[in-house]
């Protein structure tokens, strides 16, 4: 099955903000248990070429990194890169959020931007997949971070498009007024 991302590739560079050590540190600061990264299993939903996972797999050879994407051409690029680097701790495959069922559970799940860019059916499928694969505390951690930031008077906003920013402000999810602050086309926290 060919997708728009097979025709127009979506860049998938390493994204430090999604590194399990980074959000694990935030969880620990809030008193949540954090699995050790060594020996952990990490899943990235919508990984594109796997650039994010490849970088982490090189850095953490003792950790398993799994990722899937609907774009088979992007996955083929990532698989070739992983093979060229001899990464035995990296597994990438082409699959659909609605039908994939990766084996086992995961200590960390990364879904960079996928939820914001997909229709409701896919978002529901993604949440069901995350529920089956064990990562509910990550979302609770993010909620705790937002609550803490709000309590301290710190402006916070989830990552998303200009439309998402405006809707989040209008619904009271965030106090960041992207229009007044001239941030309509910025990606910000």
């Amino acid at each position: 099955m060919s997708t728009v991302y097979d025709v127009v590739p979506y860049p998938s560079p390493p994204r430090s903000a999604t590194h399990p050590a980074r959000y694990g540190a935030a969880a620990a600061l809030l008193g949540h248990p954090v699995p050790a990264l060594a020996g952990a299993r990490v899943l990235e939903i919508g990984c594109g070429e796997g650039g994010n996972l490849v970088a982490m797999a090189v850095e953490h050879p003792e950790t398993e990194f799994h990722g899937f994407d609907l774009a088979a051409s992007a996955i083929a690029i990532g698989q070739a890169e992983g093979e060229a680097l001899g990464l035995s701790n990296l597994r990438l495959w082409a699959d659909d959020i609605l039908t994939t069922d990766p084996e086992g559970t995961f200590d960390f799940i990364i879904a960079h931007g996928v939820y914001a860019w997909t229709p409701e059916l896919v978002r529901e499928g993604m949440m069901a997949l995350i529920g089956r694969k064990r990562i509910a505390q990550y979302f609770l951690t993010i909620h705790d971070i937002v609550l803490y930031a709000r309590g301290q008077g710190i402006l916070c906003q989830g990552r998303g498009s200009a439309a998402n920013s405006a809707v989040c402000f209008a619904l009271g999810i965030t106090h960041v007024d992207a229009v007044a602050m001239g941030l309509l086309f910025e990606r910000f926290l």
Side-chain angles (χ1 to χ4, degrees):
M1 165 205 262
S2 184
T3 71
V4 67
Y5 297 114
D6 289 303
V7 178
V8 180
Y10 182 79
S12 59
R15 299 183 188 281
S16 63
T18 68
H19 197 290
R22 184 169 179 171
Y23 61 83
L29 288 171
L30 292 166
H32 292 281
V34 180
L37 189 53
R41 297 184 79 227
V42 178
L43 172 67
E44 184 168 8
I45 299 170
C47 69
E49 296 172 3
N52 194 34
L53 292 176
V54 167
M56 287 188 267
V58 167
E59 181 183 8
H60 298 283
E62 72 288 353
T63 303
E64 289 182 33
F65 294 92
H66 303 255
F68 70 92
D69 197 282
L70 192 57
S73 61
I75 289 296
I77 292 168
Q79 288 171 331
E81 186 174 349
E83 288 174 23
L85 292 168
L87 297 174
S88 61
N89 61 333
L90 177 70
R91 180 170 177 259
L92 303 175
W93 70 96
D95 212 340
D96 188 315
I97 288 173
L98 298 176
T99 58
T100 197
D101 191 20
E103 187 177 314
T105 59
F106 294 89
D107 300 292
F108 300 93
I109 297 180
I110 300 166
H112 174 70
V114 177
Y115 192 85
W117 302 334
T118 56
E120 184 175 348
L121 177 67
V122 175
R123 291 192 305 265
E124 289 172 2
M126 186 172 108
M127 291 295 102
L129 172 63
I130 290 169
R132 288 192 313 273
K133 297 302 161 183
R134 180 248 173 251
I135 202 65
Q137 68 225 45
Y138 168 69
F139 293 99
L140 294 174
T141 299
I142 297 302
H143 178 70
D144 287 349
I145 292 169
V146 170
L147 288 178
Y148 175 81
R150 284 183 179 170
Q152 299 300 309
I154 300 168
L155 295 176
C156 60
Q157 161 68 27
R159 184 184 182 283
S161 65
N164 175 63
S165 298
V167 168
C168 286
F169 177 73
L171 294 175
I173 295 169
T174 182
H175 299 292
V176 177
D177 184 345
V179 176
M181 294 179 162
L183 299 172
L184 282 180
F185 297 101
E186 296 293 327
R187 303 280 181 157
F188 57 93
L189 263 175

